[in-house]
Amino acid sequence: MAKARPNPTHTILSWMMDNNYVADLITQNVDNLHRAAATQPNERIVELHGTLFQVECLDCHTTIPREDFQRRLFARNPSWASLLPEKPKINPDGDVELPEHMSYATFDIPPCTNCTSRRMKPQVVFFGENIKAHVTSEAEAMVRRSEAVLVVGSSLATYSSYRLVRLASELNKPVGIICNGNTRADALASWKVAMGCTPVLQRVQQQLQGE
């Protein structure tokens, strides 16, 4: 994931923000690609489910870049690099399946640089966890101050995202959906384009640029 780069959809949405066609952006993705594509202040982007590019202390809530934490992990556990296969199996939830002979008993977790706690985790919302209250509030505020809401490439399967679209509908704001497939909020949509988001947004950008 560290090698992933923004695709045309990320780039076009960033352009739309730069040119005031899109005021704010709420993403369910944890890959940091919207921020990587952005030229606007990060305050205009809310990562609803967090980001894999930050690591957080569960005790004092200090955050550090994932890349820095990874360097410390490798430095404290040099033998693990040689024990892992070149391409370890990655499960659907992002966990890596370790060989049976490997044990966590010798794994050394780098402590928090602020409070020395070893309760560190990626700054993402895992299954069963709740979205932080301030993130929910910020996302809701974006919906409330918007003129309309556009859903791009999401089925809205998670309740955390669907409820924001439902809020927009309850506030009588137009809801548009661009998604090649069914979404949880189809019944709430003012309009829907059942296509992949990239070709649609590319055409919209061309129209806005007068091409």
Side-chain angles (χ1 to χ4, degrees):
M1 187 172 287
K3 296 179 181 179
R5 294 294 178 266
N7 64 30
T9 292
H10 298 110
T11 304
I12 294 170
L13 288 173
S14 177
W15 178 87
M16 288 181 170
M17 294 181 77
D18 289 345
N19 290 277
N20 298 316
Y21 295 113
V22 172
D24 301 300
L25 190 150
I26 302 168
T27 178
Q28 302 172 85
N29 298 336
V30 297
D31 53 20
N32 199 56
L33 293 180
H34 282 294
R35 292 193 186 277
T39 59
Q40 293 293 319
N42 285 343
E43 289 75 18
R44 293 179 61 185
I45 300 174
V46 166
E47 292 167 316
L48 199 59
H49 298 147
T51 173
L52 283 170
F53 282 69
Q54 295 287 323
V55 174
E56 179 181 29
C57 173
L58 296 180
D59 289 320
C60 73
H61 306 296
T62 295
T63 59
I64 61 172
R66 175 71 174 267
E67 187 176 355
D68 294 347
F69 191 75
Q70 287 291 146
R71 289 197 198 97
R72 295 174 63 204
L73 274 175
F74 283 126
R76 299 173 82 99
N77 302 279
S79 63
W80 275 64
S82 62
L83 292 172
L84 283 172
E86 262 187 47
K87 293 184 178 179
K89 180 182 176 182
I90 300 177
N91 295 327
D93 61 0
D95 287 347
V96 172
E97 190 169 305
L98 298 177
E100 292 183 3
H101 67 274
M102 298 186 71
S103 170
Y104 287 107
T106 59
F107 193 78
D108 186 8
I109 300 175
C112 172
T113 54
N114 182 59
C115 73
T116 72
S117 169
R118 293 180 185 270
R119 299 201 318 136
M120 309 290 290
K121 69 179 282 288
Q123 197 178 33
V124 295
V125 180
F126 287 131
F127 182 77
E129 291 184 319
N130 293 321
I131 295 174
K132 292 182 179 179
H134 74 88
V135 175
T136 297
S137 297
E138 191 174 353
E140 289 180 352
M142 287 181 171
V143 171
R144 292 181 185 281
R145 65 175 176 255
S146 69
E147 295 180 2
V149 169
L150 176 63
V151 178
V152 178
S154 173
S155 65
L156 302 171
T158 61
Y159 182 72
S160 56
S161 57
Y162 167 72
R163 66 186 294 274
L164 294 173
V165 178
R166 188 183 65 182
L167 173 62
S169 178
E170 290 170 350
L171 295 172
N172 296 316
K173 298 177 186 288
V175 173
I177 299 176
I178 305 173
C179 185
N180 191 14
N182 295 328
T183 82
R184 195 173 181 178
D186 283 356
L188 305 178
S190 307
W191 56 265
K192 179 182 177 182
V193 177
M195 292 177 59
C197 51
T198 294
V200 175
L201 291 179
Q202 287 174 331
R203 184 60 180 149
V204 170
Q205 184 181 37
Q206 289 169 357
Q207 291 285 327
L208 293 173
Q209 292 174 326
E211 299 177 10

